[in-house]
């Protein structure tokens, strides 16, 4: 398969990026002179910039676009207005998660979507198939680049670039950097205060350069998707394909907060209501290492007697805690604070069942 | 690029022999490929190991790799500093980031290994 590349590909090569495949795109994993730990720390303590142009972009527009999307995806768009964004999920009829994504309401007739790279085509085709006459669904995956400026000093970077940084969490507005129009969103996937900049693909070089060369004490470090993964895992944010999938529903992932249960309809509603009422499925929890074991996706979770009670969906080393952390699906009767064991390549490593986040978020 | 006083394995370990003691580590190329190392598991002191056998693990933020014994011998010392500071393997792979010291029984223990030039050439093949 030929991998797609960001319009910033040459910039990444110049920065010595180690590249890896993400959802069909060849993207930076980490940069020379940095590495996951240094990049993670930059975002927790200063500011980092990620190229996340592989993320999908699509628009649903036409009379009643918001109402149409609201009848498809899980979250209740009635809770936000124009200029606000919302985390939501696209489920199938069985309640499995086709994708989790952010919906940006530009007006009642215009909703911008940011799905995961690998799922964009699927989400777009499901919406297009369901759309009534007058509503169009357009895949804009290659039309825009996305930069995520994240960290406690991210607001100062935007200030320096002459961009208003005072928007509320999950709000967005059109602004300019270097004369280029872009959408600045107070969103992110790191647990820190941060902004995502949606820029026309042809204009992103100037914006990237301006952000990277902001200079002074608040010059952001270029950060790769390796650090993005450790940052999001510390927050307990799910990753589609690991912690959410067509086999792992919002109920199982404990993402019911992103489901508008009172809405008259959304895809998968009946199946999810039945699953929630039955209470038989495995549920997501956090696991915090007692020792030095680092859990990885797919590893079995056992109780003290050796009975398998679940499996790891995401697992890594937490750079902040300097311990192994995991998200795991566990049998519903496994209690918080219980001691469980993860089979780490034949070693039984002890973990405590916890409620994520593992590190306090500072998004607001 | 690679220290000339060491010998190397195709699996990116290096060996420094001093009398009947061999110090073992991984190369700069290997640490670069692995990324930030966050956990190092080493054999027990006193273990007798065969050349090519798995004697430990190097785990980075993203993945885990087996550590292979480059030569046969008995484990004399483990680098205990790596318990608290596994990143030494990244920052100083030929110095403070060494992994184990072994007693070698065979004068010719490193005979099958590569010199620096051959190792460097093997990386570009």
């Amino acid at each position: 398969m030929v991998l797609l590349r960001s319009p910033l590909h040459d910039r990444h090569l110049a920065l010595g990026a180690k590249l890896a495949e993400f959802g069909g795109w060849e993207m930076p994993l980490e940069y020379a002179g940095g590495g996951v730990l240094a990049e993670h720390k930059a975002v927790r303590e200063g500011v980092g910039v990620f190229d996340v142009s592989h993320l999908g972009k699509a628009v649903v527009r036409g009379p009643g676009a918001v109402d149409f999307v609201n009848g498809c995806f899980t979250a209740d768009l009635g809770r936000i207005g124009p200029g606000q964004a919302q985390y939501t999920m696209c489920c199938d009829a069985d309640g499995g998660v086709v994708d989790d994504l952010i919906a940006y309401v530009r007006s009642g007739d215009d909703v911008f979507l940011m799905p995961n790279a690998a799922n964009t085509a699927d989400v777009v085709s499901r919406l297009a198939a369901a759309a009534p006459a007058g509503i169009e669904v357009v895949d804009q995956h290659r039309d825009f680049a996305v930069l995520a400026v994240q960290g406690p000093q991210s607001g100062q970077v935007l200030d320096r670039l002459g961009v208003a940084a005072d928007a509320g969490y999950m709000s967005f507005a059109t602004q300019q950097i270097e004369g280029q129009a872009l959408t600045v969103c107070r969103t992110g996937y790191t647990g820190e205060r941060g902004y995502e900049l949606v820029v026309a693909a042809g204009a992103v070089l100037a914006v990237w350069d301006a952000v990277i060369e902001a200079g002074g004490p608040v010059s952001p470090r270029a950060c790769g998707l390796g650090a993005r993964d450790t940052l999001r895992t510390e927050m307990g944010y799910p990753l589609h394909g690991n912690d959410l999938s067509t086999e792992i529903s919002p109920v199982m992932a404990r993402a019911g907060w992103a489901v508008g249960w009172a809405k008259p309809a959304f895809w998968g509603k009946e199946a999810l209501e039945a699953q929630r009422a039955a209470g038989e499925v495995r549920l997501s929890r956090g696991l915090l290492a007692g020792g030095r074991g680092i859990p990885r996706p797919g590893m079995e979770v056992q109780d003290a007697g050796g009975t398998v009670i679940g499996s790891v969906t995401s697992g890594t080393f937490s750079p902040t805690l300097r311990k192994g952390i995991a998200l795991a699906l566990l049998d519903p009767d496994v209690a918080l604070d219980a001691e469980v064991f993860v089979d780490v390549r034949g070693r039984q490593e002890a973990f405590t069942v916890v409620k994520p986040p593992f590190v306090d978020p500072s998004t607001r | 690029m690679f220290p000339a006083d060491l010998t190397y394995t195709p699996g990116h370990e290096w060996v420094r022999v001093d009398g009947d003691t061999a110090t073992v580590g991984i190369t700069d190329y290997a640490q670069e490929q692995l990324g930030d190392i966050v956990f190092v598991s080493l054999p027990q002191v006193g273990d007798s190991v065969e050349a090519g056998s798995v004697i430990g693990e190097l785990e980075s933020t993203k993945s885990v790799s087996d550590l292979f014994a480059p030569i046969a011998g008995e484990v004399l010392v483990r680098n205990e500093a790596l318990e608290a500071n596994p990143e030494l393997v990244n920052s100083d792979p030929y110095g403070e980031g060494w992994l184990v010291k072994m007693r070698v029984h065979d004068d010719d223990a490193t005979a099958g290994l590569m010199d620096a030039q051959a190792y460097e050439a093997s990386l570009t093949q």
Side-chain angles (χ1 to χ4, degrees):
Chain A
M1 187 174 81
V2 176
L3 296 179
L4 299 173
R5 286 177 172 174
S6 158
L8 295 165
H9 187 75
D10 289 345
R11 292 288 191 277
H12 302 320
L13 294 182
L15 288 168
K18 204 182 282 183
L19 302 169
E21 192 262 328
F22 290 86
W25 291 61
E26 186 178 36
M27 299 297 291
L29 181 64
E30 60 180 32
Y31 292 90
V36 172
L37 298 180
E39 293 165 18
H40 182 108
K41 188 173 152 81
V43 173
R44 285 275 178 264
E45 298 178 3
V47 56
V49 57
F50 302 81
D51 177 10
V52 288
S53 298
H54 63 305
L55 292 176
K57 307 100 195 167
V59 65
V60 181
R61 62 192 165 207
V66 165
D67 293 338
F68 166 63
V69 172
N70 202 31
C72 302
F73 297 164
T74 59
D76 184 359
L77 279 173
R79 294 174 61 174
I80 65 168
Q84 292 181 296
Q86 183 181 63
Y87 175 79
T88 189
M89 284 169 279
C90 173
C91 288
D92 60 22
D94 299 330
V97 182
V98 172
D99 196 23
D100 65 333
L101 68 167
I102 306 286
Y104 299 80
V105 174
R106 295 196 283 221
S107 76
D109 301 335
D110 187 349
V111 184
F112 184 72
L113 303 175
M114 204 178 286
N116 284 288
N119 301 329
T120 303
D122 196 1
V123 169
V124 166
S125 78
R126 284 170 190 257
L127 286 170
I135 297 217
E136 65 169 348
V137 183
V138 184
D139 188 337
Q140 300 181 325
H141 205 148
R142 307 292 301 275
D143 299 351
F144 295 96
V146 185
L147 306 185
V149 183
Q150 303 279 310
Q153 293 176 352
S154 56
Q156 290 156 260
V157 172
L158 267 66
D159 281 344
R160 188 182 290 257
L161 294 167
V163 168
D166 55 354
Y169 183 55
M170 298 299 281
S171 294
F172 65 95
T174 302
Q175 308 222 26
Q176 282 202 348
I177 293 177
E178 296 290 306
Q180 310 290 347
L182 71 171
T183 306
V184 177
C185 316
R186 262 292 301 287
T187 47
Y189 196 45
T190 62
E192 295 299 328
R193 184 184 184 90
Y195 303 83
E196 287 174 315
L197 314 181
V198 184
V199 194
V204 72
L205 285 177
V207 174
W208 169 269
D209 290 346
V211 170
I212 283 284
E213 290 157 14
V218 296
S219 210
R221 179 189 268 279
C223 296
L225 300 183
R228 193 164 182 262
D229 192 60
T230 53
L231 288 158
R232 72 94 191 166
T233 307
E234 285 186 348
M235 288 302 125
Y237 295 160
L239 172 66
H240 192 272
N242 284 38
D243 315 295
L244 290 169
S245 70
T246 50
E247 307 300 316
I248 306 174
S249 73
V251 173
M252 298 168 74
R254 293 187 193 269
W257 62 271
V259 178
W261 295 106
K263 293 200 296 183
F266 57 86
W267 294 341
K269 184 177 188 221
E270 292 71 24
L272 290 170
E273 282 173 340
Q275 195 178 74
R276 186 166 70 147
E280 291 166 349
V281 289
R282 281 184 171 169
L283 299 171
S284 181
R285 283 294 192 199
L287 302 180
L288 179 62
R292 300 298 301 268
I294 301 171
R296 300 292 179 183
M299 288 181 177
E300 276 185 352
V301 183
Q302 302 173 355
D303 65 14
T307 303
V308 175
I309 55 170
S311 65
V312 171
T313 54
S314 282
T316 190
F317 174 82
S318 160
T320 303
L321 303 177
R322 298 189 65 81
K323 283 181 179 175
I325 57 172
L327 300 177
L329 284 172
L330 302 178
D331 289 344
D333 59 347
V334 178
L336 275 178
D337 300 325
E339 186 183 52
V340 299
F341 298 86
V342 176
D343 182 346
V344 180
R345 294 179 300 282
R347 295 193 308 269
Q348 296 303 109
E349 297 279 358
F351 285 78
T352 304
V353 178
V354 299
K355 194 173 169 181
F358 297 96
V359 173
D360 290 337
S362 313
T363 46
R364 286 164 204 272
Chain B
M1 181 177 175
F2 295 97
D5 61 326
L6 308 180
T7 53
Y8 300 86
T9 70
H12 313 293
E13 286 104 10
W14 56 259
V15 181
R16 178 185 287 122
V17 176
D18 183 12
D20 66 351
T21 302
T23 305
V24 174
I26 65 165
T27 66
D28 188 50
Y29 174 84
Q31 70 79 19
E32 174 67 29
Q33 291 295 310
L34 288 170
D36 290 330
I37 292 164
V38 296
F39 179 56
V40 178
S41 150
L42 296 171
Q44 298 302 313
V45 170
D47 283 359
S48 277
V49 302
E50 295 299 316
S53 61
V54 175
I55 58 170
E57 288 175 352
L58 296 166
E59 188 149 16
S60 71
T61 46
K62 271 315 264 190
S63 64
V64 59
S65 299
D66 284 332
L67 172 66
F68 297 94
I71 54 176
E74 178 194 345
V75 177
L76 294 175
V77 195
R78 300 148 39 106
N79 185 354
E80 300 294 348
L82 301 180
E83 172 82 13
N85 299 105
E87 66 275 13
L88 290 171
V89 178
N90 293 114
S91 59
D92 192 8
Y94 306 115
E96 288 185 54
W98 63 276
L99 300 174
V100 292
K101 294 182 191 292
M102 294 166 52
R103 175 178 292 132
V104 290
H105 305 299
D106 182 351
D107 287 346
D108 224 10
T110 62
L113 305 186
M114 291 178 277
D115 65 14
Q117 210 175 359
Y119 175 65
E120 188 165 354
S122 77
L123 298 179
T124 58
Q125 279 169 7

